[in-house]
Amino acid sequence: MINKVAMITIVGRANSGKSTLTNKLTGDKVAIVSPKPQTTRNRIFGVFTHNDTQMILLDTPGFHKAKTRLGDYMVGVVKESVADVDAVVLLVEPVDNIGTQEEMLIEHIKKSNVPAILVINKIDTIKPDLTLPIIERYSRHYNFDAIVPVSAKKGDGIPELLEIFEKYAKQGSQLFPDGMTTDQPERQIIAEIIREKLLICLDKEIPHGTAVEIALFSERGEEENPIIDVDATIYCEKSSHKGMIIGKNGAMLKKIGQYAREDIERFMGAKVFLQTWVKVKENWRDSQTMMKNFGYVK
C-alpha cells in the first residue's frame, strides 16, 4: 500500500543521461532519447512505485546557453523545476572538471534550499579508480546530501539511488493512479516518438528545428484488436530542410515513419496506421504563438 510520496527533479547539462535515467527508474519509455543535445524540451513526469512510496521524477531539458525563445523556455523550465520538490538530482558525466553549466545549476540549487544528490552517470565508460577524483572535486564545490555513481544505461548503482530517494519521501496519498508512468497524454507521447526518430535519422541542425503536431488520433475496429489512425504534421524552419526530411522519392520520411510506427505500436499495444506530412514554418522557435501551438508554454 502506498502511503508516502517523493517528488524529485533531475537536472543536468544536455546529454548527461537524464531521460535515460528516468526511463530506467520508471521501467517504461516516458522520455525520448537521442545522442543529440536538447532532445528533451518540456518537463516530463515519470512515475513509479518503490516499496510503499510513489516516486515522481521530473525529467527536465538539458541546461544550456539559450539562442532562441524556445531555448529560453527550456532553461526556464529547468530553473522552475528546482523549487518546491523534495530533492534535486544533479546528473553529471564522469569527467574530472566542473563545467559552467554544472556551476550554474549548483547556484540555482543553493538558492532553492532543496536537498541535492549528485549522481555521476556513465561510470561504465571509465575505469573505477577515476571515480574518486570526480567525487572529491564536487564535494569541495558543494555539500551534497549524497553522491552516487551510476550507469543509467546498464542499471549499475540504481538500487543504491532508490534507497537514497526513499529518505526524502513524505507521508501522503499517491498522486497518480496505479499503472500510470507519466503525466503526458497519448498524443504528446506519439508526437515525441516521431520527433525522436527525426533526431536519430537526421544530421546537424535540421532535427533541432523540427516540431510535431498530431492532427488526427482516432481508434477503430474491435475492442480486443483496435486499429489506431494517426496523422502527424512535421514542421521545419527551412524549405531545404523539408527536402532533406522527405528525402529522395520520400525515402527518408518513409524511414522515419516506419521507425516511429513500430515504437508507437509498442507503446499503444495496438496496430497503428501512421501518415506524415512536412510543412515549413520559418523561425518558429522564436515565435511565441507557434511555441504555444506546439505545447511549449509555462
Side-chain angles (χ1 to χ4, degrees), residues 54-267:
Q54 184 171 75
M55 300 283 184
I56 303 166
L57 304 179
L58 282 66
D59 180 21
T60 61
F63 197 73
H64 65 287
K65 185 177 181 180
K67 297 180 180 179
T68 62
R69 280 193 174 182
L70 176 61
D72 289 333
Y73 164 80
M74 291 161 65
V75 171
V77 167
V78 178
K79 292 178 180 179
E80 291 178 3
S81 300
V82 172
D84 299 323
V85 291
D86 298 308
V88 175
V89 167
L90 174 60
L91 194 70
V92 302
E93 295 187 86
V95 293
D96 189 21
N97 69 286
I98 300 175
T100 303
Q101 289 95 330
E102 286 78 16
E103 288 180 344
M104 292 176 70
L105 284 167
I106 288 171
E107 288 304 310
H108 287 299
I109 291 169
K110 287 179 180 177
K111 293 175 184 177
S112 71
N113 200 30
V114 172
I117 306 157
L118 179 71
V119 175
I120 304 168
N121 191 25
K122 306 180 185 179
I123 58 165
D124 54 308
T125 63
I126 63 169
K127 295 178 180 178
D129 60 344
L130 296 178
T131 306
L132 186 57
I134 301 170
I135 293 173
E136 290 176 343
R137 183 177 291 271
Y138 272 96
S139 296
R140 291 194 298 268
H141 200 79
Y142 184 71
N143 185 25
F144 290 93
D145 271 22
I147 299 178
V148 189
V150 305
S151 170
K153 186 176 182 180
K154 295 188 175 181
D156 299 338
I158 297 301
E160 293 81 0
L161 186 59
L162 286 171
E163 286 184 18
I164 292 168
F165 281 179
E166 278 198 293
K167 296 178 183 178
Y168 301 101
K170 297 177 180 177
Q171 292 293 325
S173 303
Q174 66 187 83
L175 301 178
F176 293 90
D178 292 338
M180 188 173 181
T181 56
T182 182
D183 66 324
Q184 300 174 91
E186 291 173 337
R187 279 175 173 259
Q188 184 177 337
I189 292 175
I190 289 171
E192 284 291 272
I193 288 172
I194 296 170
R195 192 168 66 83
E196 178 188 62
K197 306 314 172 191
L198 290 163
L199 285 160
I200 291 170
C201 294
L202 297 167
D203 292 329
K204 299 179 182 177
E205 178 62 19
I206 298 171
H208 291 299
T210 60
V212 179
E213 182 179 49
I214 304 302
L216 171 70
F217 177 83
S218 63
E219 190 174 309
R220 57 187 168 90
E222 301 175 358
E223 187 176 343
E224 299 80 11
N225 297 294
I227 298 171
I228 297 171
D229 294 306
V230 177
D231 289 359
T233 303
I234 299 167
Y235 291 92
C236 59
E237 292 187 308
K238 297 179 181 179
S239 296
S240 58
H241 290 178
K242 177 180 178 179
M244 294 176 188
I245 293 169
I246 295 172
K248 188 175 181 181
N249 299 321
M252 179 56 74
L253 188 60
K254 183 177 179 181
K255 179 181 176 181
I256 291 165
Q258 179 183 333
Y259 288 165
R261 179 182 55 78
E262 291 171 356
D263 260 16
I264 295 167
E265 287 184 338
R266 279 192 287 270
F267 168 71

